[in-house]
Amino acid sequence: MSTILAIDQGTTSSRAILFDGLRPIFKAQHEFPQIYPKSGWVEHDPFQITESQLLCIKEVLDLVGKANVDAIGITNQRETVVVWDRLTGLPVYNAIVWQCRRTADFCEELKSTRYADIIKEKTGLPIDPYFSASKIRWILENVEGAREKAEKGRLLFGTVDSWLIWNLTSGEVHATDVTNASRTQLFNINTMEWDEELLTLFDIPHSMMPKVLSSADDYGVAKIFGREIPICGVAGDQQSALFGQSCFNTGDCKNTYGTGAFLLTNIGKKPIFDKNGLITTVAWRLGEEVTYALEGSVFCAGSVIQWLRDSLGIISSSAESEFLAKSVEDNGGVYIVPAFTGLGAPYWDSEARGLICGLTRGSTKAHIARAALESIAFQVNELVELCRDAGITIERLCVDGGAAENNFLLKFQSDISKVDIIRKRSVEATARGAAMFAELGASGEISAQDDGDSIYFKPTMDQHERDELLSGWKNAVERTLS
Ligand code: ADP
């Protein structure tokens, strides 16, 4: 059994968790600032990412004392783009975050060309500002001197895993893993290589791209706080959660309720290309064997609860939303569509904007809190329906992520989607997946350890009530589409 330090670099916070086998023993977490320069734009300061992450690592290593740490596993927010100078290590611009819609116009134009089908067939992804390619292009086009430097081979691109690996190894390793690569829209998931035609289309020099490694692999040695620890596993957060939930078999499915919500289903060794809005993505590669997943994405899930807390001020903590929602019998006809940055699957509408509807003089903040939680479940339900349309039977859903702490949300999800929901005692599946990949990379095996009791939520809502709620939601969504 190995001791693994899992680094979990999320959208709103950085975390470090020490695993003894699969059991989390120490944890540190620090939030860092979100930067919103314009409507629909989202950035992070790359140094605030590394500083908050190093602070977490330091706090955990201080608790570890003299004990050995065998390996590091990294999991991270995906698609977010950092471009930096290979000589100075300095970023040329802030990190452009996955939620950022600044390239919506460019993507809209591209959608009407023959490339829409080519990109989907090669990368498994629809054209959308969400993915890295158009964001890298934006930096090269808009940051003074960037294009010239990139052409001369001075600039490096990385998703957040690459940025962390580069910094942890003091600039010795410029690498990413197959799962993060599969979210850039520049990686061919059939050949498992950077795609020259797409690099040309987005006007991105190949010299910027990191080396692509497997999920459990040799990512160099982190030299931090007087220790040298090999980095042996890397995966994007959602793929890491799929692995961390032990969804090893075809048909196994998980949903993570974080800032966004992400439903991933293991589809085995061959990619399936869905026509209705689900993404095909690499789940992991172990040795040379690739496993694929179908993924549905919701951009705003837990973030609608953050909005109630930070912008409307109607709750003082995210957890309070549960008590408020349960304090009323139903949503009172109120629906919220949190399309703050557009809508993901099945709409892929980057111009859609949010709304609250169905307000009456009797509506209270409790109805609003309830409608906000219900909106998360309605959106996830649309992903479940898409999977069902693609021929995948979903009867049980493993859940994790910050908002999976919310019992009201999970019960409502179970009712609205007619699925059994399973929540493990520890909702840290993302970090656990990274620890599992790293342990595999370091020792060739994964410790078999039980993660503790699971809690089940079972559907009990009658069909009439479900139909009414679903039609209320559909009506609200239609009003937000562009
Ligand atoms: P990420 O990794 O995307 O930063 P997390 O998995 O840490 O996100 O989840 C944080 C999100 O979950 C926040 O948007 C927060 O509002 C939401 N959240 C946390 N606890 C609860 C809760 N008890 N009920 C509802 N939402 C919650």
Side-chain angles (χ1 to χ4, degrees):
M1 197 164 69
S2 321
T3 306
I4 309 284
L5 178 65
I7 291 177
D8 179 2
Q9 206 301 306
T11 309
T12 53
S13 69
S14 297
R15 275 166 282 218
I17 303 179
L18 193 80
F19 283 85
D20 180 16
L22 295 187
R23 201 164 50 89
I25 44 178
F26 299 129
K27 172 178 167 178
Q29 176 164 7
H30 288 284
E31 286 200 13
F32 60 90
Q34 307 293 307
I35 304 166
Y36 304 109
K38 285 187 190 178
S39 161
W41 289 33
V42 192
E43 296 177 2
H44 291 156
D45 177 342
F47 288 119
Q48 284 174 335
I49 293 179
T50 30
E51 277 158 24
S52 60
Q53 194 60 74
L54 284 170
L55 189 60
C56 298
I57 295 174
K58 181 168 186 330
E59 286 176 12
V60 167
L61 291 181
D62 284 350
L63 289 168
V64 169
K66 289 199 168 14
N68 188 46
V69 176
D70 296 301
I72 288 177
I74 297 178
T75 181
N76 57 290
Q77 53 166 322
R78 305 170 303 172
E79 297 102 10
T80 297
V81 163
V82 189
V83 174
W84 68 96
D85 185 311
R86 71 160 79 230
L87 296 183
T88 64
L90 296 176
V92 299
Y93 191 76
N94 270 343
I96 303 186
V97 178
W98 57 273
Q99 294 158 313
C100 186
R101 316 302 293 173
R102 77 183 63 197
T103 57
D105 290 347
F106 171 78
C107 291
E108 215 40 58
E109 271 177 37
L110 200 56
K111 267 188 203 170
S112 59
T113 68
R114 67 187 179 92
Y115 283 107
D117 288 341
I118 294 176
I119 288 177
K120 177 86 181 169
E121 280 159 23
K122 287 187 168 193
T123 67
L125 312 173
I127 297 171
D128 192 87
Y130 172 33
F131 306 107
S132 314
S134 65
K135 294 172 155 78
I136 308 171
R137 183 181 177 278
W138 188 94
I139 290 179
L140 297 184
E141 294 292 301
N142 291 281
V143 175
E144 211 188 319
R147 159 96 31 222
E148 203 187 343
K149 274 189 174 176
E151 300 293 350
K152 286 188 184 144
R154 272 283 293 267
L155 298 190
L156 299 178
F157 150 72
T159 36
V160 168
D161 54 317
S162 303
W163 171 243
L164 289 175
I165 293 164
W166 170 269
N167 281 285
L168 291 172
T169 62
S170 310
E172 279 178 17
V173 180
H174 181 222
T176 188
D177 85 294
V178 284
T179 68
N180 277 293
S182 76
R183 316 297 299 188
T184 57
Q185 204 145 59
L186 298 166
F187 189 69
N188 188 320
I189 63 168
N190 306 290
T191 61
M192 302 297 281
E193 285 173 348
W194 296 122
D195 191 277
E196 293 303 334
E197 185 184 19
L198 298 183
L199 286 168
T200 307
L201 174 69
F202 286 95
D203 217 356
I204 297 167
H206 194 136
S207 58
M208 294 179 74
M209 306 309 284
K211 184 166 67 170
V212 185
L213 301 177
S214 290
S215 314
D217 215 323
D218 175 4
Y219 286 86
V221 177
K223 296 174 188 112
I224 38 170
F225 307 113
R227 289 174 185 254
E228 295 201 352
I229 312 172
I231 306 170
C232 298
V234 177
D237 52 9
Q238 303 311 322
Q239 285 90 339
S240 191
L242 189 69
F243 201 67
Q245 289 273 18
S246 303
C247 292
F248 303 142
N249 299 313
T250 307
D252 288 352
C253 181
K254 73 89 205 174
N255 186 62
T256 300
Y257 297 90
T259 305
F262 299 87
L263 185 101
L264 268 75
T265 307
N266 181 331
I267 54 169
K269 313 292 174 221
K270 285 216 172 73
I272 299 172
F273 294 93
D274 174 63
K275 294 259 179 284
N276 296 320
L278 293 175
I279 288 168
T280 310
T281 202
V282 177
W284 49 77
R285 184 175 71 188
L286 297 174
E288 287 307 310
E289 194 175 69
V290 184
T291 298
Y292 294 91
L294 270 184
E295 170 176 331
S297 337
V298 167
F299 297 138
C300 292
S303 57
V304 68
I305 305 302
Q306 257 174 335
W307 177 71
L308 296 186
R309 187 191 66 185
D310 302 340
S311 301
L312 294 194
I314 64 171
I315 48 173
S316 53
S317 69
S318 298
E320 204 186 319
S321 62
E322 177 169 346
F323 304 108
L324 261 185
K326 283 179 173 167
S327 73
V328 282
E329 280 203 350
D330 53 36
N331 64 15
V334 178
Y335 291 84
I336 297 181
V337 184
F340 299 133
T341 53
L343 286 172
Y347 310 101
W348 291 108
D349 184 344
S350 48
E351 298 302 319
R353 287 294 174 269
L355 63 69
I356 304 182
C357 67
L359 294 173
T360 64
R361 188 61 188 82
S363 305
T364 64
K365 65 178 184 176
H367 292 113
I368 292 188
R370 188 167 175 129
L373 287 169
E374 289 183 358
S375 78
I376 301 175
F378 283 129
Q379 293 181 92
V380 170
N381 181 55
E382 287 175 330
L383 306 181
V384 171
E385 293 295 337
L386 282 179
C387 285
R388 287 177 175 153
D389 292 348
I392 296 161
T393 315
I394 298 182
E395 279 160 6
R396 30 181 282 167
L397 191 60
C398 301
V399 298
D400 56 79
E405 302 276 4
N406 193 305
N407 292 331
F408 170 82
L409 170 63
L410 297 190
K411 177 68 175 86
F412 188 77
Q413 186 75 69
S414 167
D415 279 337
I416 214 72
S417 302
K418 281 207 222 166
V419 285
D420 287 356
I421 299 226
I422 302 161
R423 179 180 66 199
K424 302 248 169 75
R425 187 190 289 158
S426 151
V427 289
E428 296 288 1
T430 308
R432 189 169 56 239
M436 286 159 69
F437 282 128
E439 192 177 25
L440 253 184
S443 69
E445 57 183 24
I446 304 175
S447 312
Q449 265 214 22
D450 193 16
D451 184 46
D453 299 340
S454 300
I455 298 169
Y456 289 82
F457 297 83
K458 289 186 173 292
T460 52
M461 186 182 276
D462 71 55
Q463 191 62 37
H464 175 70
E465 193 179 349
R466 182 182 299 117
D467 288 346
E468 281 212 340
L469 283 159
L470 286 171
S471 113
W473 166 255
K474 210 162 182 272
N475 173 34
V477 169
E478 269 160 20
R479 298 195 212 177
T480 68
L481 298 176
S482 63

